[in-house]
Amino acid sequence: MKKAVFPGSFDPITLGHVDIIERGVTLFDELIIAIGINAEKKYMFSLEERKKFIEKTFIHEPKIKVLTYRGLTVNFCKEQNANFILRGLRNPADFEFEKAIAHTNRKLSEIETVFLLTSSGKSYISSSIVRDVIRNNGNYKGLVPNAVSL
């Protein structure tokens, strides 16, 4: 069974995330969307809200599980018997950052990282941009799945 973990804070989940998940789920028997918990980070949405947004978005996809975790992603992958980490790349800066993490993860474990390029029409979307639009009362609806609502 090919099982992958797609980790992130998903604060909130965006259409860029959805793009990677929808394409990634075709590559694996199971895809775990793993919401990382970082006590030092201040989130706009609670963990429960973020989890609910994702579960509602993928309610009809049986190959997707939504879980939360603390600590190293590679340790979570081992706990879940996942051999792959799925990551999306929007631009060259993402690649450099993600490459360093992937090399570190390979040093710590046998887990392989699989990269997918975000579709061109969604490559500009990031959670931080969405949060800024929301904070400034902008129309965020075209940036996130319908499940994300305030």
Side-chain angles (χ1 to χ4, degrees):
M1 180 182 216
K2 290 189 291 183
K3 189 185 292 191
V5 168
F6 183 50
S9 59
F10 304 103
D11 187 34
I13 186 170
T14 70
L15 292 180
H17 294 128
V18 170
D19 174 57
I20 297 299
I21 293 164
E22 287 177 342
R23 291 173 35 235
V25 78
T26 66
L27 303 174
F28 303 100
D29 300 308
E30 183 177 345
L31 180 59
I32 299 169
I33 302 172
I35 307 170
I37 301 169
N38 182 342
E40 296 177 18
K41 198 169 178 184
K42 187 167 175 12
Y43 297 105
M44 176 174 274
F45 296 95
S46 71
L47 180 62
E48 295 75 27
E49 287 173 311
R50 290 180 279 146
K51 191 169 190 258
K52 186 177 77 181
F53 294 157
I54 298 167
E55 288 171 339
K56 281 179 74 175
T57 299
F58 296 104
I59 194 165
H60 298 296
E61 180 49 72
K63 290 169 58 175
I64 290 178
K65 274 200 317 198
V66 184
L67 301 174
T68 62
Y69 75 102
R70 292 182 192 276
L72 294 176
T73 302
V74 291
N75 291 343
F76 177 74
C77 289
K78 287 177 190 173
E79 291 168 13
Q80 297 300 316
N81 296 312
N83 293 319
F84 301 94
I85 294 173
L86 176 65
R87 297 300 294 158
L89 300 174
R90 294 171 298 186
N91 54 49
D94 278 359
F95 173 74
E96 290 301 325
F97 177 74
E98 294 292 345
K99 180 178 75 165
I101 293 171
H103 285 310
T104 303
N105 287 340
R106 281 292 286 155
K107 186 78 172 167
L108 297 173
S109 71
E110 294 298 312
I111 295 167
E112 200 64 63
T113 300
V114 176
F115 296 109
L116 290 179
L117 298 177
T118 306
S119 297
S120 61
K122 304 205 175 46
S123 63
Y124 67 94
I125 303 171
S126 70
S127 292
S128 57
I129 288 172
V130 171
R131 288 191 305 272
D132 195 46
V133 170
I134 291 169
R135 265 190 228 100
N136 290 288
N137 300 312
N139 183 357
Y140 62 92
K141 295 293 186 181
L143 304 172
V144 297
N146 291 335
V148 177
S149 60
L150 302 177

